[in-house]
Structure formats: structure tokens, C-alpha cells
Amino acid sequence: MARTQVGIIGAGPAGLLLSYLLHSEGIEAVVLEARSREYVEKRVRAGVCEHPTVELLREIGVGTRLDAEGLPHQGFSLRFDGQDHRIAITELTGKTITVYGQQEVVKDLIAAHEERGWPIEFEVSEVALHDLETKNPHITYRDVDGVERRLDCDVLAGCDGFHGVSRPSIPAERAKMFNRDYPFAWLGVLARTPPSHEELIYTHHPRGFALHSMRSPEVTRLYLQVPHDEKIDDWSDDRIWSELAERLETSNKDFSLREGPILDKGITPMRSFVIEPMSHGRLFLAGDAAHIVPPTGAKGMNLAVADVRVLSRALVELLQHKRTELVESYSDTCLKRVWRAEHFSWYMTSMLHVDPTADDFDRRLQLSQLRYTASSRAAATSLAENYAGLPFV
Ligand code: APR
Ligand code: PHB
């Protein structure tokens, strides 16, 4: 039987960063991850780090590669009716965002754990959480060799994403779930070709939303709105490029769609979800385990980072000073930011996608919102400050 102070389920950005922050404060933690190290390091996810996320990663000493390889951006474009309207983030807010793949953040955090000898167990299975309402919760699981294990803890952190086991361990009558499904999904591709433009372009087109993003000067990331039940096998590379070409057509002379070999493609459903509260007894949820946003606002990873920043402080207070105020307010503190991001992500999604259930009235409202955002400094500033990231609470 093993013992640690904080048992962390999941080695995504939330679990790894929480473990890093706790160890840095002298608190012991063990991370248990269902997948292999190779899998979590290669999994292609979102790629925009907002200003407060970058500052935190730098401040705690894991920003070296991010500073060297991340791409700082001072604005992005909204494209509709074939025309670009730039949202000048830095001019409007004084902040920048950084394009740096989520799996790069994950790699940096795993490498930091390895260097310092902080434990992460990969390829565990049958993870189950017990005695959450006591001061001695524990986790049972099988390790990589199939051996049954028990880990006794003071606190458990559920950082195991939307499909994990932590959230379902909370009795249904003790929590309220908020859910919104969208009648579309994103088809994402990673292509070996230089970006077609130096900034991100969020495009509203009658055939559906499209997004031009990137990972490096050699690798482009592109997305297409598709029906929610779409099969990836129906999308040949040729079909993807011709659909992108149609939706991204523009009068902007600085843009021409560059094609290249497709390295990865996949379909991601769009959903908004929140559980309240984000804790139960000695279990604290963080990141996608507690909330999901549609990717249009680029908030998923940033919310995970914000949660564990609050949680790590609360756990230091609890475990080192026996003070309970911050763990008691953890959920309320996080939910304020979570709901702001939920609203922003819903707003960006609604403004930019083609909703198959919309009528003409809805379509006119949508176009008016796009025009207003593109032409009013006040509206653009509101968008920019949400996008760049509101200060940590
Ligand atoms: N046991 C152990 N690990 C698990 C289990 C389980 N039963 N179920 C899931 N996991 C692992 C997953 O394999 C994954 O590595 O938990 C991890 C959760 O990581 P993420 O899904 O990346 O979630 P999070 O760390 O909250 O980061 C949020 O990830 O989904 C994106 O867009 C989202 O950018 C956001 C970010
Ligand atoms: C990405 O580059 O993967 C990306 C960028 C912006 C988004 C979502 C995803 O809003």
C-alpha cells in the first residue's frame, strides 16, 4: 500500500501542471495516466496559449521552449463576405497570445517531472476513487504490469478530462450539470506546409465555418465545420483542400491557401458543459473533467491552467497550514472564470458557424453581430480582452 498527499488522475495539462505546482511547494503528488507517454505527447490538440497562461508557465520555469518556439501573435482576423477584419489584440489590450501546441506544453511538463524524479505512472487501468467524503480518500488501479495497487491520499484531483472516472464518482444528487450540444463538429487537419497567412483567420462562410491556424513556420493547422455525425472516412485529402479553398476565398491579397501533405486529421464534437460544484468532499475536479467549451474561443487548455493555479494554492493552504478557506471557495472561485469562458466560447461559436436550424431572422442577426464586432472599437476590445485572457483571480 502506497501513500501520497495528492493523488492526481490524468496527465493532460491540468494534471501535469497541478503536480508540478504542488511539488514546487514541497507537496507530494502522484499522477496516474491511462494512456502511454508517447500517446499523450503526440495527441494533437488546440494550440493557443493566452497571455496569463504564458506568464504562469514562464514564471514557474517551464517557459524556455515556449519562448524559443512559440509564435507570439498580436491579432487575428475575422473573415466574412470574403473580406478580412483584423482584431488588433495587442493594440486593444496591451497583450499578446502565443501559438504553441498543447502537446508541447504536455511534453515540457513531463520532461520537467522526469528531470526532478516526480512520479507519473502511465498505462494504468481500472482506476477507481474511494472514500471521497473522508479525510483519507484512496485510489485503486492496475499498474502498467497489471498488478493491483492502492494509493492512499489526503486529497484527490480529478484531472482526467471529459470522459474520465472522477466526475462520475460524484453522486448525481450532489451536483448539477449544465450541457449544450451543437449541431456541428470540427474537422481538424495538420498539414506540412507554411501557414498561408501570418495570423489566425476565423472565417464565416455560407458553407460553414473555417479556421486557419498554425503550429510552426512549416506546419499549418486548419479546421472545417462539418455536421455533428460526420465520418472522417468521407473526407479525402482532396475534398478537404477544395472545401477549405472555397470557404477561405478572399479579396485579401496577402492570403493564398498553401496545400501540403496532411499529417493528421480528425473530427471533434462541439459541446458546452459545466458541473457545479467542481468538488465533492476531498475530490477536486479541474480542467475538462469539470467543464468543456467549444474550441472556437481557444479557451480549453487555458481554463485548465487557471483551475489548477487556484487549486494548487488552496491545497498548499490545506496541507501545509491546515487552513480550509481556499479549498472551500475553490469551486466558486473557478466557476466565475469558467462561466465567462463558457459565454465567450458560445458567443464566438454562434457568431461564426452556420447553424442548420437557423432561420432568416437568425442569419441577419448573426451578420449584424459580425459587422458590429468588425467595425466598433468597443465590440472588438471586448472580444480581444476575452480572447487574450482576463487576469487570474
Ligand atoms: N484514468 C487515468 N487517466 C485518465 C482516465 C482514467 N480513467 N480517463 C482519462 N484519463 C486521462 C486521459 O488519457 C488524458 O491524458 O486524463 C487526461 C486528461 O487530459 P485532457 O483531456 O488533456 O484534459 P485536461 O488536462 O483537463 O486539459 C484540458 O485538453 O481536451 C483538451 O481542449 C481541452 O485544451 C483542453 C485541455
Ligand atoms: C488551433 O490552432 O488548434 C486552434 C486555434 C484557435 C482555436 C482553436 C484551435 O480557436
Side-chain angles (χ1 to χ4, degrees):
M1 195 169 86
R3 188 171 172 88
T4 191
Q5 289 180 285
V6 183
I8 301 176
I9 304 116
L16 290 167
L17 185 60
L18 178 64
S19 170
Y20 186 99
L21 291 169
L22 291 173
H23 281 289
S24 303
E25 295 288 339
I27 291 177
E28 279 175 28
V30 173
V31 181
L32 300 177
E33 166 59 48
R35 304 286 193 159
S36 67
R37 175 173 178 176
E38 195 190 14
Y39 182 92
V40 298
E41 290 191 344
K42 288 220 170 112
R43 186 166 42 189
V44 181
R45 289 285 191 60
V48 174
C49 296
E50 62 179 28
H51 190 88
T53 297
V54 172
E55 286 201 319
L56 176 69
L57 295 175
R58 248 184 222 145
E59 198 182 296
I60 64 172
V62 281
T64 315
R65 209 160 62 87
L66 183 148
D67 278 331
E69 295 173 27
L71 306 170
H73 284 226
Q74 303 197 328
F76 65 83
S77 286
L78 293 178
R79 179 176 291 177
F80 56 95
D81 293 336
Q83 289 190 345
D84 282 353
H85 307 266
R86 185 163 186 270
I87 305 294
I89 300 173
T90 307
E91 194 191 312
L92 295 169
T93 68
K95 294 176 182 164
T96 55
I97 53 124
T98 304
V99 174
Y100 188 64
Q102 180 176 315
Q103 80 267 37
E104 305 305 324
V105 175
V106 163
K107 273 188 219 161
D108 295 343
L109 287 167
I110 292 176
H113 276 73
E114 198 173 33
E115 260 170 45
R116 295 162 176 78
W118 296 340
I120 307 174
E121 287 194 43
F122 290 99
E123 297 180 71
V124 303
S125 53
E126 295 174 32
V127 174
L129 285 56
H130 310 272
D131 298 337
L132 302 178
E133 288 167 45
T134 73
K135 288 186 176 164
N136 302 101
H138 71 275
I139 309 174
T140 52
Y141 63 100
R142 274 185 202 279
D143 69 15
V144 61
D145 300 315
V147 179
E148 280 185 31
R149 300 276 179 199
R150 171 177 167 146
L151 182 63
D152 284 84
C153 309
D154 295 321
V155 168
L156 306 186
C159 301
D160 47 352
F162 187 66
H163 301 286
V165 292
S166 300
R167 194 180 62 252
S169 310
I170 300 180
E173 70 279 8
R174 301 295 294 274
K176 183 167 167 59
M177 322 262 185
F178 301 82
N179 194 55
R180 174 75 40 106
D181 289 319
Y182 298 85
F184 36 75
W186 274 17
L187 188 165
V189 301
L190 195 67
R192 186 171 302 290
T193 180
S196 305
H197 184 67
E198 58 206 17
E199 293 186 337
L200 271 66
I201 304 167
Y202 288 81
T203 306
H204 174 71
H205 185 276
R207 294 179 66 85
F209 169 79
L211 171 61
H212 166 269
S213 180
M214 63 206 67
R215 284 293 174 274
S216 72
E218 298 82 36
V219 176
T220 302
R221 180 85 171 138
L222 296 148
Y223 295 95
L224 284 170
Q225 174 188 348
V226 295
H228 73 282
D229 52 358
E230 198 76 342
K231 302 275 170 291
I232 192 71
D233 292 343
D234 292 336
W235 285 84
S236 66
D237 293 3
D238 280 351
R239 181 175 176 205
I240 291 171
W241 287 118
S242 78
E243 192 64 34
L244 282 166
E246 246 183 285
R247 294 191 197 176
L248 292 171
E249 203 184 337
T250 175
S251 55
N252 180 356
K253 299 280 178 286
D254 293 336
F255 180 92
S256 76
L257 182 63
R258 292 202 174 113
E259 297 188 14
I262 290 184
L263 308 172
D264 184 273
K265 61 179 166 184
I267 291 181
T268 318
M270 307 273 276
R271 175 185 290 126
S272 299
F273 173 88
V274 181
I275 183 171
E276 287 189 4
M278 287 169 55
S279 61
H280 173 68
R282 284 282 177 115
L283 168 66
F284 298 88
L285 301 179
D288 277 18
H291 40 71
I292 293 282
V293 286
T296 329
K299 285 284 162 262
M301 174 174 58
N302 296 298
L303 271 186
V305 168
D307 286 351
V308 299
R309 189 174 200 259
V310 177
L311 184 55
S312 65
R313 287 189 176 160
L315 294 181
V316 169
E317 285 292 292
L318 178 74
L319 299 173
Q320 287 184 341
H321 308 292
K322 305 232 175 322
R323 285 200 288 259
T324 57
E325 298 89 64
L326 292 187
V327 285
E328 281 159 14
S329 59
Y330 167 69
S331 177
D332 287 346
T333 303
C334 288
L335 284 167
K336 289 193 190 105
R337 166 179 299 276
V338 167
W339 278 110
R340 177 86 301 277
E342 289 290 344
H343 181 272
F344 177 66
S345 307
W346 164 86
Y347 150 80
M348 285 284 276
T349 302
S350 318
M351 179 168 73
L352 287 159
H353 289 70
V354 173
D355 181 345
T357 66
D359 62 14
D360 285 343
F361 185 84
D362 296 322
R363 279 190 280 275
R364 290 291 191 280
L365 290 182
Q366 189 183 26
L367 203 56
S368 170
Q369 183 64 38
L370 277 166
R371 287 188 183 130
Y372 175 57
T373 309
S375 59
S376 152
R377 190 175 173 91
T381 305
S382 166
L383 194 168
E385 75 164 0
N386 278 278
Y387 193 86
L390 298 162
F392 281 129
V393 276

